[in-house]
Amino acid sequence: MVVQNIYSAGHFVGMTYRVKNDDSSLWTDDEIKQDIISHARTIETLIKVSPKYVRLHYTPEPDVRVESILHNLGFVLVGYNLDSQDYSHKEQTGPNSIEDVYRRTFLRQKDTYDAKGSFISIQYDIPDTGALAAVPFMINTINEEGYTMVRLDGCLNDPKPYKKSADSKEYVSDHFSFNATDYHQGQKAIAAEALEVEDWETEEDRMFTSKKNQGSIARVGWFFSIALVSASMSLL
């Protein structure tokens, strides 16, 4: 229900794709094609449209072969230029925190160009990062520095930000899409009393971390985690 709830609340859903074993040379073009379509179809079964925008998992060198296959399937690659670094910064606020990564990025932009910039940000949603607990602090920093949070389709002025189906090249919109009736953007400041730093780890988080350490996380679990990363990224 998590992905459906995110989508139904008006958030944009994209997809991250990672080649099996991080080595596309081990697979034929058709195997990679079918794997990509299978991943996209999983999201399609949940939200009734297929993701269009895809972020490729990091590799030391660009995988132009996979990029070409994605392009030929009608997917659009998207990158990012603001890494929240929540995989290494666990503090929610203060020096060396996730919030501080945002603030330093905005200040560096202003000092360098004497103007605000445009950023696509990425966060990781798995429990052993500090991402979830840091969200209110990130929002307030974005607000204080005069930036507006938008969906990816709003950032790119794309009124048809989804594919009709995983194996289709036809692009479609929904009622949340850019220029549609229920499209929205922007953020509200979080009240100070809601910013009390707490231990946000839940029993579910601890179970996830325990299973992860035991190497027993199912691939589909990682897939949904990755899908949510794209959703989070596209909000900024």
Side-chain angles (χ1 to χ4, degrees):
M1 290 295 292
V2 174
V3 176
Q4 295 100 317
N5 289 342
I6 287 174
Y7 175 77
S8 297
H11 297 295
F12 182 73
V13 178
M15 183 176 83
T16 291
Y17 180 68
R18 183 175 188 175
V19 178
K20 296 176 183 178
N21 301 322
D22 292 327
D23 186 355
S24 63
S25 68
L26 300 175
W27 314 98
T28 66
D29 284 5
D30 190 60
E31 286 174 327
I32 294 173
K33 175 182 175 180
Q34 293 307 316
D35 192 48
I36 292 169
I37 290 174
S38 175
H39 279 62
R41 186 167 287 129
T42 300
I43 297 178
E44 181 188 342
T45 61
L46 298 171
I47 65 174
K48 309 309 178 188
V49 285
S50 167
K52 169 182 175 180
Y53 289 99
V54 176
R55 184 180 74 85
L56 271 178
H57 182 75
Y58 170 79
T59 53
E61 297 294 332
D63 194 329
V64 294
R65 178 168 166 245
V66 175
E67 290 178 2
S68 177
I69 293 172
L70 282 162
H71 174 75
N72 291 336
L73 289 171
F75 293 98
V76 178
L77 288 171
V78 63
Y80 61 92
N81 59 349
L82 200 171
D83 182 354
S84 69
Q85 300 177 38
D86 53 18
Y87 45 83
S88 60
H89 295 280
K90 305 300 182 182
E91 297 298 324
Q92 303 157 29
T93 186
N96 201 37
S97 66
I98 299 170
E99 172 201 29
D100 192 48
V101 171
Y102 277 78
R103 196 174 299 279
R104 285 187 284 107
T105 299
F106 297 150
L107 291 176
R108 184 165 56 249
Q109 166 71 27
K110 186 176 181 180
D111 289 344
T112 303
Y113 301 103
D114 195 28
K116 289 188 292 185
S118 296
F119 299 94
I120 295 178
S121 173
I122 185 169
Q123 291 80 41
Y124 297 82
D125 70 320
I126 56 177
D128 53 347
T129 73
L132 176 60
V135 166
F137 301 94
M138 290 189 295
I139 290 175
N140 278 1
T141 298
I142 291 167
N143 211 42
E144 290 164 8
E145 297 297 329
Y147 285 85
T148 300
M149 299 171 69
V150 300
R151 290 169 34 125
L152 186 62
D153 50 342
C155 179
L156 300 176
N157 294 332
D158 183 0
K160 294 184 177 181
Y162 290 103
K163 295 176 64 180
K164 185 176 182 179
S165 63
D167 56 358
S168 170
K169 291 186 178 181
E170 180 181 351
Y171 298 141
V172 296
S173 63
D174 61 12
H175 60 101
F176 294 119
S177 299
F178 179 66
N179 281 342
T181 53
D182 292 324
Y183 174 81
H184 62 272
Q185 64 183 40
Q187 71 279 346
K188 295 181 180 179
I190 309 299
E193 57 268 21
L195 294 178
E196 181 178 352
V197 177
E198 300 175 349
D199 179 7
W200 285 53
E201 186 179 53
T202 65
E203 182 62 30
E204 182 180 358
D205 294 342
R206 286 186 285 273
M207 289 175 61
F208 183 99
T209 303
S210 174
K211 290 180 180 179
K212 176 173 173 286
N213 290 338
Q214 295 168 15
S216 60
I217 293 296
R219 187 164 181 261
V220 69
W222 281 110
F223 171 66
F224 284 120
S225 175
I226 289 169
L228 294 180
V229 169
S230 293
S232 300
M233 176 180 68
S234 63
L235 290 173
L236 304 183

